[in-house]
Amino acid sequence: MSYNPYDNVLATVEKAAKLLGYTPEDYEAVKFPERELHVSVPVRMDDGSVRVFQGYRIQHSTVRGPAKGGVRYHPGVNKDEVRALAAWMTFKCAVVDIPYGGGKGGVAVDPASLSLGELQRLTRRFTSMIAPIIGPDRDIPAPDVGTNAEVMGWMMDTYSMLNGHAIPAAVTGKPIPLGGSQGRGEATGRGVMLCTKYICEKLDRPLAGAAVAVQGMGNVGSVSARLLHEQGARVVAVSDVSGGIYKAAGLAIPAVCQYLSKRGNLLSGYEEAGMTRIGNEELLEADVTVLIPAALENQINAENAGRIRAQVIVEGANGPTTVEADEILERNGTVLVPDILANAGGVVVSYFEWVQNLQALEWEEAEVNAKLEKAMQKAFDSVYGIAAEKQTTLRMGAYLLALKRVVEALRFRGIWP
Ligand code: NAD
């Protein structure tokens, strides 16, 4: 059976709506993306040929505010994936209670196969093609898998040029000189680290010395690993698309991160005394206290969920666990901090960036981090409290909180006309 992440979203929303006692009319509108744009993006390649890439920008909801969400460059990008990612943004922004709806974009492309010039031309053409539906009051893109601050800079510049003046608030996750926020680059990983700390406190398990495995050493995974290492956790396994490494005594994470930044973000070739090479399945099934999936969707599924030995899973990635896997993990007593809470640090600081841009202000990094910590602690406590009260999982607790907020806003706005 082929996996459709949007089915995952719908199944979870249906379950939450039932627990909240909603009638279908209460949340019918939430089940469908509001607006979908599919674009075919022609790019002049360095050799003079023309390639056409498929791109999407999908706004799942603008009920609580402008749509907000990243742009993904990955060969696997398709409409159902972008739909699911857009919907997760709606619920994520509601969990952390920031005034945004949810959106997401993507282009089916392997960015590593493009030259810098090709990547820039693709980004600018894609931005110009989605420009009619984005903007600081409509829908604000940010980085996701395969995109970074540099790409956001090109998006901001393209949108600004099309409008004839600088519009920094149109995009977040920008380079600092273009109005990017201090702390944004680290924000998602920092939120993951904070959630790991909070859940360990609740479970009365010391984070210091706890064995941690991280799948995916990109923006989210590498910062999560580094900050957890700084908190005294023993990061025993990390992996990326090139494979994984394991060391029971704990890997030298600062050295791993330094290697990644110098070697095109790939782990293959990294060496450290006492480490062994492992595959991604071995990493996911490693005997650790905390597992942080921080790569892509559908990594923990019906096939491997029964073999997961981690006691705690903190979802750095969006949608790494399927609905079927969730049920198996719950039965096995694995505690899972869900994506819409665990990786919300990125969108929280994106929101801070947008607020600073709109007011032409610049906040210090310490101020950004303190505000982020406050937002994450508040969201975590709310989710934990609801889950305990309803005797359900943290994922369901997060959806109960989020769906309630979205449906409440929908009721106040009504259905026009
Ligand atoms: P990234 O492109 O920086 O990194 C992705 C990492 O995953 C890379 O290390 C890559 O090699 C690895 N990877 C890819 N396929 C893999 C596989 N099959 N097995 C193991 N590793 C694999 O992306 P990112 O921005 O770190 O995003 C990672 C996840 O976090 C995504 O699900 C994304 O939607 C989510 N997320 C990102 C942000 C953000 O601010 N960047 C915020 C919230 C959630």
Side-chain angles (χ1 to χ4, degrees), residues 261-333:
S261 64
K262 284 198 184 136
R263 301 294 172 96
N265 289 323
L266 278 185
L267 274 171
S268 56
Y270 176 81
E271 289 294 343
E272 179 181 325
M275 64 158 244
T276 50
R277 298 216 170 267
I278 56 169
N280 261 298
E281 279 303 314
E282 279 171 276
L283 178 134
L284 292 172
E285 296 164 18
D287 188 7
V288 290
T289 306
V290 182
L291 170 64
I292 300 179
L296 294 168
E297 301 92 53
N298 192 22
Q299 296 302 300
I300 305 173
N301 47 44
E303 199 272 317
N304 64 2
R307 297 194 297 272
I308 301 284
R309 284 185 285 172
Q311 289 133 37
V312 176
I313 296 175
V314 182
E315 293 185 325
N318 286 305
T321 315
T322 65
V323 172
E324 297 78 21
D326 257 350
E327 286 167 9
I328 297 168
L329 294 170
E330 189 183 356
R331 272 204 303 278
N332 291 347

Side-chain angles (χ1 to χ4, degrees), residues 5-24:
Y6 198 70
D7 291 341
N8 233 13
V9 179
L10 288 179
T12 316
V13 168
E14 289 291 356
K15 201 168 157 193
K18 209 167 161 188
L19 273 172
L20 287 164
Y22 288 160
T23 63

Side-chain angles (χ1 to χ4, degrees), residues 72 74 85 92 104 143-147 184 188 215-221 239-242 265-266 280 294-297 299 316-318 343-344 346-347:
R72 177 174 293 193
H74 189 274
L85 290 163
K92 191 180 303 180
K104 203 86 178 193
D144 190 71
V145 175
T147 59
R184 174 61 184 90
T188 310
Q215 184 203 30
M217 280 295 274
N219 175 302
V220 179
S239 72
D240 66 13
V241 73
S242 71
N265 289 323
L266 278 185
N280 261 298
L296 294 168
E297 301 92 53
Q299 296 302 300
N318 286 305
N343 70 33
V347 77

